[in-house]
């Protein structure tokens, strides 16, 4: 909103105004809320005034803060759901068990009830849930719309056939990283698992990794993102991962953040070179030439023993020490 001079209705002068953020009380559905709202005051008399565009901005601020506070689905999330399942407004409404024009009203700005919002969020986060909803309401939807949405749901369900904890970990990485390639993601996951095993003696996620030519690799994660090759991961289908990280404990998030703040500063290729100097990958590749393909399992206990050894020397709870380990590994590689 551009700041211009206007005629103040209180002091009747042509003057400028001051923009501030203030907490204001609102009553929504019989509940009291306090939101941070943009307001304007006359520079001359100090009275609150209305300026062009301010009311629209305030309405937007109230809407966004209310939805966030009550965990109500946003309009763009509904649009993403339609994209994910290649489904129109009316078929989506009916497929979720709503009235035919309900989604249309929500896209125009009407705020859903918590019950309906939760249904939409569950459909966005779980292809299985969406598929069950579609089947439950199949007789209400046109056959071609049902078939298209069902196909999308089945394909997504196949794609995301990995553990809940792995999905949550990847969700957190996506939330914190502007962009990440499949190669970098694989190595970040490996270091997260290694440090978590060293510090807490249990794996963060169940998946095993394998000693491939380019370092440790989680097969199921590779299959999920392989089409991106060496490019950053970017696809509307992965919006399903949004907010999955909220299921992680504080302890789990802390380890992931440690890794992102250290190993996450390097490219996938550099991280690959670090893993090539570490015992778990080297030992699991025993008998193979450098570029010879293998699919040998890197046992979790190997990873744990190695990172426990590193923890004794460098202290893996300390980001400075982790960076010292990384720097020394890179120096060794360059000798």
């Amino acid at each position: 909103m551009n700041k211009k001079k206007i005629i103040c209705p209180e002091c009747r002068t042509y003057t400028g105004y001051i923009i501030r953020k203030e907490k204001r009380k609102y009553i929504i559905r019989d509940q009291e809320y306090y939101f941070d709202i943009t307001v304007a005051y006359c520079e001359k008399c100090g009275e609150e005034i209305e300026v062009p565009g301010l009311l629209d901005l305030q309405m937007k601020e109230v809407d966004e803060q209310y939805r966030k506070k009550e965990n109500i689905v946003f309009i763009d999330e509904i649009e993403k759901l339609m994209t994910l399942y290649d489904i129109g407004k009316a078929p989506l409404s009916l497929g979720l068990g709503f009235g035919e024009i309900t989604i249309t009203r929500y896209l125009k700005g009407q705020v859903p009830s918590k019950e309906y919002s939760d249904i939409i969020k569950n459909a966005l986060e779980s292809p299985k849930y969406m598929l069950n909803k579609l089947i439950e309401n199949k007789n209400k939807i046109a056959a071609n719309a049902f078939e298209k949405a069902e196909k999308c749901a089945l394909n997504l369900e196949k794609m995301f056939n990995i553990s809940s904890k792995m999905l949550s970990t990847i969700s957190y990485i996506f939330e914190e990283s502007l962009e990440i390639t499949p190669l970098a993601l694989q190595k970040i996951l490996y270091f997260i698992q290694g440090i978590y095993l060293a510090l807490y003696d249990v794996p963060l996620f169940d998946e095993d990794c394998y000693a491939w030519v380019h370092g440790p690799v989680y097969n199921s994660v590779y299959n999920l993102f392989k089409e991106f090759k060496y490019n950053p991961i970017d696809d509307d289908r992965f919006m399903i991962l949004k907010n999955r990280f909220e299921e992680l404990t504080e302890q789990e998030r802390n380890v992931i953040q440690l890794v992102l703040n250290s190993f996450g500063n390097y490219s996938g290729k550099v991280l690959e070179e670090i893993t090539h100097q570490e015992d778990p990958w080297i030992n699991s590749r025993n008998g193979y030439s450098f570029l010879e393909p293998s699919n040998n399992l890197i046992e979790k206990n190997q990873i744990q023993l190695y990172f426990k050894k590193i923890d004794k020397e460098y202290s893996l709870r300390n980001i400075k020490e982790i960076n010292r380990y990384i720097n020394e590994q890179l120096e060794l590689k360059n000798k």
Side-chain angles (χ1 to χ4, degrees):
M1 186 169 56
N2 294 326
K3 183 177 174 182
K4 300 176 181 177
K5 288 190 174 184
I6 61 168
I7 296 176
C8 172
E10 299 297 327
C11 63
R12 304 289 181 179
T13 56
Y14 187 65
T15 182
Y17 52 87
I18 300 165
I19 296 289
R20 295 180 193 158
K21 282 274 193 185
E22 292 184 358
K23 239 174 228 323
R24 293 288 173 93
K25 182 170 80 172
Y26 289 83
I27 306 295
I28 303 175
R29 293 177 176 170
D30 298 323
Q31 294 290 320
E32 188 177 282
Y33 299 89
Y34 286 87
F35 299 131
D36 293 318
I37 302 300
T38 303
V39 293
Y41 289 93
C42 172
E43 284 184 340
K44 185 161 186 180
C45 69
E47 290 295 320
E48 185 176 347
I49 56 175
E50 297 232 357
V51 300
L54 185 60
L55 185 58
D56 288 341
L57 175 60
Q58 291 172 341
M59 289 174 64
K60 183 181 177 185
E61 290 171 335
V62 169
D63 180 74
E64 288 178 352
Q65 291 176 67
Y66 172 74
R67 289 176 191 257
K68 189 171 182 181
K69 189 172 185 63
E70 294 297 331
N71 197 24
I72 299 293
V73 69
F74 283 83
I75 292 172
D76 69 318
E77 291 177 310
I78 299 173
E79 292 170 341
K80 286 173 183 176
L81 184 61
M82 293 169 62
T83 300
L84 268 180
Y85 294 99
D86 192 17
I87 192 168
K89 297 187 285 289
L92 177 59
S93 281
L94 297 171
L96 294 175
F98 306 158
E100 188 171 5
I101 63 169
T102 303
I103 291 294
T104 300
R105 292 203 305 266
Y106 293 163
L107 290 172
K108 289 181 177 178
Q110 181 178 320
V111 179
S113 67
K114 188 69 169 65
E115 179 189 0
Y116 276 25
S117 174
D118 286 346
I119 290 171
I120 297 168
K121 279 181 170 286
N122 288 336
L124 188 59
E125 292 169 7
S126 168
K128 186 175 181 179
Y129 180 90
M130 180 64 176
L131 184 59
N132 288 339
K133 275 290 179 185
L134 288 168
I135 293 170
E136 180 186 327
N137 297 291
K138 181 178 180 179
N139 64 333
K140 301 175 185 176
I141 314 169
N144 64 332
F146 172 82
E147 287 166 10
K148 282 197 302 180
E150 180 190 39
K151 183 179 178 182
C152 290
L154 289 169
N155 287 338
L156 284 167
E157 193 174 17
K158 266 187 223 172
M159 278 180 61
F160 290 90
N161 188 26
I162 56 181
S163 72
S164 177
K165 209 56 114 170
M166 177 65 92
L167 285 174
S168 297
T169 302
I170 294 171
S171 170
Y172 191 93
I173 293 168
F174 282 2
E175 184 73 14
E176 296 296 311
S177 306
L178 289 176
E179 60 178 39
I180 189 165
T181 64
L183 180 63
L185 177 63
Q186 289 284 354
K187 305 310 168 265
I188 292 293
L189 289 170
Y190 170 75
F191 289 121
I192 288 169
Q193 184 79 303
I195 292 177
Y196 201 85
L197 279 165
L199 297 182
Y200 301 110
D201 295 318
V202 292
L204 198 158
F205 38 79
D206 294 332
E207 281 81 356
D208 285 313
C209 67
Y210 297 85
W212 286 17
V213 169
H214 295 290
V217 169
Y218 294 91
N219 283 353
S220 54
V221 177
Y222 170 80
N223 290 330
L224 189 56
F225 300 112
K226 63 184 178 182
E227 66 190 85
F228 296 97
K229 298 183 179 178
Y230 291 100
N231 301 309
I233 297 165
D234 183 18
D235 192 306
D236 283 343
R237 290 171 297 176
F238 302 119
M239 67 183 72
I240 282 181
L241 295 172
K242 186 175 174 60
N243 299 328
R244 284 294 296 259
F245 66 87
E246 292 173 358
E247 299 170 8
L248 295 167
T249 66
E250 184 178 357
Q251 176 176 288
E252 290 164 345
R253 292 190 200 195
N254 288 342
V255 170
I256 298 169
Q257 196 64 60
L258 263 178
V259 173
L260 290 176
N261 289 343
S262 51
F263 291 99
N265 294 322
Y266 297 88
S267 70
K269 198 65 187 170
V270 171
L271 298 179
E272 174 189 325
E273 290 168 353
I274 293 173
T275 64
H276 282 183
Q277 297 179 110
E278 296 177 332
D279 292 346
W281 183 82
I282 293 170
N283 294 338
S284 298
R285 293 269 303 172
N286 188 31
Y288 288 82
S289 63
F290 191 71
L291 294 176
E292 185 179 356
S294 74
N295 198 34
N296 289 349
L297 176 69
I298 304 179
E299 299 279 356
K300 288 190 180 77
N301 69 321
Q302 290 184 61
I303 300 171
Q304 182 177 9
L305 287 171
Y306 177 77
F307 281 95
K308 273 191 172 294
K309 182 179 76 174
I310 298 305
D311 184 40
K312 284 181 181 176
E313 186 175 348
Y314 294 90
S315 179
L316 294 176
R317 295 178 190 272
N318 186 315
I319 194 163
K320 287 184 180 179
E321 287 295 288
I322 296 175
N323 283 325
R324 182 166 73 89
Y325 168 74
I326 293 170
N327 290 333
E328 289 183 10
Q329 292 298 104
L330 294 177
E331 286 171 8
L332 282 173
K333 181 256 172 189
N334 292 325
K335 282 184 179 178

